[in-house]
Structures are given as C-alpha cells and as structure tokens.
Amino acid sequence: MLPANPKRTAWTTFRQELQVEATAGRWLAPGRVNLIGEHTDYNDGFVLPMALPLGVTCVAGVRGDGVVRLRSRQRAGEPIETSTGALGVSGWSELPEWSHYPLGVLREFTRRGYEVPGVDLDVDGTVPIGAGLSSSAALSCSVALALRDLFAPSVSAAEIIDIARTAENVYVGVPTGVLDQSAAILCTAGHVLFLDVRTGEHEQIPFDLEGFGLELLVIDTGTPHRLVDGEYARRRTECATAAEELDVPFLRDVASIDDTDRLTDPVLRRRARHVVSENARVRAVAEQLRTGGDPRAIGPALTAGHRSLRDDFEVSAPPLDTAVDTATAQGAYGARMVGGGFGGSVIALVDRDTTSRVVKSIREAFYARGFQPPRTFAVTPAAGAHRLS
C-alpha cells in the first residue's frame, strides 16, 4: 500500500471542508494574448487582446467568522489563513508572493467599503505561469468576480477591472496598465477586443481563424518574465518622461511619429517611437479585421510590432527572437512576442496545414541554440470571466 501523500491529503481535506462550509460557486477568468498593442495601455492608447481557453478557476465559500482561507492547487504547500481585519497595508512581505494577488483583491473590496464577513478561496489555474499570458490577471479577476457575486453585486465590470489592477499595482508592486484585466473581464468568444484605454470604449471584433484555414500558434519559450524586477517600471517611467518633454499628457497624444524626433535623448526617442507606431498598428489591424478582410493581411503588422519591441522598446530576449525569426522563415504570416517582455511567449499566425512544420522548426532552432524545448499550442478567442456554477 502506498503511503499517503500529505499534500494531496491536505488538499482533499480542504475541498471537503469547502463543501461543508456552504460553497457558493465556481468562477473562471481567462488568460490572454494580445494580438497587437504592447506597452500602449499605460500610455492611454489602444490594445487588441483576446481571451485564451486557459484560465484560473476560483471556488469560493462564504464564512461568517471573519476568517480568510486561501489555497492554490499550484502552491499546495502554502495554505494561508488570515482575517479580513488583518489585511492592512503592512505585513504583506510575510505572505507568499502569489497570494498578494487574491488577497490584494479582497483588501480592495473591503477598503472600498464592501463588507466581506469571511471567505474560503480555492484557486486552480491552467495558464502557464511566467509565460506572458497574464496568469496573474486571471487569478485576480477570478477572485474579484467571485467576491463581487457573493458580497457586492452592484460592482460594475469597470470597477472589477480597477480593483484587480489596483491589487497588482499596490499589493504586488507592478505598475501595470489595464490591458490584462480588461481582457479577462470584457473579451467574448470568437472576437478580439478593441479597447480605447483612455475612454474605456470597447468593441468586439470578429476574429475568424477557422474560416480562413488559419491557426494562432502560441510558443511558450519557457523563459519566465518577471515584471517585478524593475525593467517594466523603468519603461513606464521613460514613457512618462518622453511625454512630458513632448508636452503631451501621454504618448497616445503624439500626433505623428515624426514628432518623436524632437526628443534629444535617443533612449526616450526609441521608447516614444514604439508607442506611437504601435498605436497606429493596433488601429490598422482592427480596421482590417472589422471589415471582414483575410486575417493573413495583418501578419506584417504583427512582425513589425515585434521589431519595434525588440529594437525600440528593448524588451525582447534571444528565445523570443528565435521563435519569431524561425516562424516567419517557415511561412508564418506574422509573429511577435506578447506580454511585458524579457521572456514569455510568442504568437505566430500560420496556415493550419503548416503548423506542424513550424513547430518542428522552432524546436530544432531552440535545440541548436541550447534553449529548453518550448511549449506550443494553438488558441482560439475564448469567453471572458464568468460564473461556472
């Protein structure tokens, strides 16, 4: 007889206790890939993400004793028990970093005046962590949706997005924009989301891959990105400085890419050039898809976006460049890194019947360069966050 696995036993016990303690339901929030529009959200610009058929599920149960219990299937050895009153602005360094996302969401609900008498949270995710596919926003948004439905049904989708973003900014320490949280909450199946970050106006644009015999391939390079390491924050500061020197509120307000030539600092000039050109690419891709055109036509914009992220924004990495270069050499219509950068994933738009060849070539190229084998999978636009039961 095999000995009992203590982690599995603890997990099973927790699940049984949740069932006893009035489990109220399950909620799912998806990860995302951003078809185009990287590092434009905190510059008040435009983005074009889609939700993934991968996400984070939150099982939530109501308690009446002020206790907060949190467990993650991915962190089975790190159960957390605290109280709603203990989640102030201090003491976060003593908690595991992953817990700052859901507990930060809970803290924001109570800070904004929504009463949470106690809750059990059981989370489980399928989004690869560190792959640039927004597993953190999926975690935050699944918990936010559960808390909204259980304790604060009047909270709007816009406030859920703000709560989840604030949790990441304040309690994790990453100064992200609203791209990831907006994608998790607002996306719909079969569509990409065209979002004007400044106004909040958004449009669901059909993205019919199957009808055109295409696949959107995700290549997880296995190179984790860590936005808390400071480079992401540095890029945001550089963009704000460039906007100030150009005398505009945000780089979104720069009228022409030629205006970036007024910046004397070559680094700031490159950062601004990326943001201005990327906003133009988002609008062009959205228009191409909006009019029902063949998605193959957006390929050059995807690849141009990667070159801009690599050369002007300087957030790429050798495995990302290898995946992009190999995919395009093997016939992909376009390819680019996604996410904050410095690692993570690449997307490639390919004909369905060439997917195997592209994947094989990328694996061979990674092996030849001594990189670890990438994980590859095709994705279609999925639904945004919703209640499962």
Side-chain angles (χ1 to χ4, degrees):
M1 180 176 179
L2 293 174
N5 182 327
K7 290 185 178 180
R8 183 173 295 278
T9 300
W11 181 259
T12 302
T13 300
F14 179 66
R15 295 296 292 265
Q16 291 170 343
E17 289 171 350
L18 274 181
Q19 292 173 5
V20 171
E21 294 174 1
T23 299
R26 296 188 306 136
W27 289 260
L28 171 70
R32 64 95 189 95
V33 291
N34 195 23
L35 191 61
I36 193 79
E38 222 66 76
H39 290 275
T40 53
D41 59 339
Y42 56 80
N43 286 291
D44 248 17
F46 305 94
V47 294
L48 197 67
M50 66 179 235
L52 292 173
L54 304 168
V56 174
T57 302
C58 174
V59 177
V62 179
R63 303 177 64 100
D65 56 4
V67 171
V68 176
R69 289 171 47 179
L70 170 67
R71 294 208 183 192
S72 165
R73 188 64 178 267
Q74 284 65 52
R75 297 288 190 273
E78 298 178 345
I80 293 167
E81 184 168 319
T82 183
S83 68
T84 55
L87 293 175
V89 294
S90 61
W92 291 85
S93 61
E94 301 172 3
L95 297 169
E97 185 178 296
W98 70 269
S99 72
H100 294 195
Y101 295 92
L103 294 179
V105 168
L106 176 58
R107 168 60 180 165
E108 272 304 291
F109 268 89
T110 58
R111 191 187 68 80
R112 297 177 188 216
Y114 302 111
E115 183 179 356
V116 179
V119 66
D120 286 316
L121 299 169
D122 169 2
V123 296
D124 189 8
T126 58
V127 186
I129 297 172
L133 304 178
S134 198
S135 60
S136 57
L139 171 58
S140 298
C141 289
S142 66
V143 171
L145 204 65
L147 295 178
R148 190 276 305 272
D149 288 356
L150 292 177
F151 305 110
S154 64
V155 170
S156 66
E159 188 171 6
I160 287 180
I161 292 168
D162 187 59
I163 286 172
R165 193 263 300 261
T166 301
E168 191 156 349
N169 291 172
V170 175
Y171 304 100
V172 182
V174 181
T176 62
V178 298
L179 163 61
D180 298 344
Q181 297 82 10
S182 297
I185 297 298
L186 299 176
C187 281
T188 61
H191 297 80
V192 288
L193 176 76
F194 178 63
L195 173 66
D196 182 335
V197 174
R198 168 168 291 172
T199 66
E201 295 179 358
H202 56 276
E203 175 187 0
Q204 306 292 344
I205 299 179
F207 189 38
D208 182 12
L209 295 169
E210 183 177 358
F212 286 91
L214 295 168
E215 286 191 330
L216 189 66
L217 183 65
V218 175
I219 303 105
D220 175 4
T221 67
T223 311
H225 75 150
R226 287 183 51 82
L227 301 186
V228 295
D229 285 346
E231 286 297 327
Y232 182 94
R234 183 174 294 109
R235 294 304 184 280
R236 185 162 183 163
T237 298
E238 289 167 343
C239 288
T241 302
E244 183 178 4
E245 293 192 11
L246 290 171
D247 197 27
V248 293
F250 291 92
L251 289 178
R252 177 242 179 86
D253 300 296
V254 176
S256 166
I257 198 167
D258 293 338
D259 292 336
T260 64
D261 291 337
R262 293 193 283 119
L263 292 165
T264 57
D265 185 312
V267 172
L268 296 184
R269 191 184 314 128
R270 290 197 301 271
R271 304 299 187 254
R273 187 165 57 212
H274 165 71
V275 174
V276 175
S277 64
E278 186 80 344
N279 275 320
R281 284 187 287 270
V282 174
R283 290 192 291 264
V285 169
E287 182 61 22
Q288 175 70 23
L289 297 177
R290 185 184 290 119
T291 56
D294 188 332
R296 291 174 176 84
I298 72 172
L302 304 186
T303 307
H306 181 78
R307 288 195 299 267
S308 182
L309 288 161
R310 182 193 64 199
D311 300 335
D312 283 342
F313 224 64
E314 298 178 282
V315 293
S316 191
L320 300 173
D321 297 336
T322 297
V324 168
D325 293 343
T326 305
T328 53
Q330 290 298 317
Y333 294 99
R336 61 181 290 271
M337 57 156 284
V338 294
F342 314 106
S345 297
V346 161
I347 57 172
L349 185 65
V350 300
D351 284 321
R352 188 184 304 118
D353 59 5
T354 67
T355 299
S356 297
R357 186 186 75 222
V358 173
V359 168
K360 181 175 182 292
S361 296
I362 291 172
R363 288 183 177 277
E364 291 173 348
F366 271 49
Y367 178 79
R369 290 163 176 77
F371 303 146
Q372 68 180 54
R375 177 188 179 192
T376 58
F377 51 95
V379 295
T380 54
H386 57 284
R387 184 168 184 164
L388 294 171
S389 63

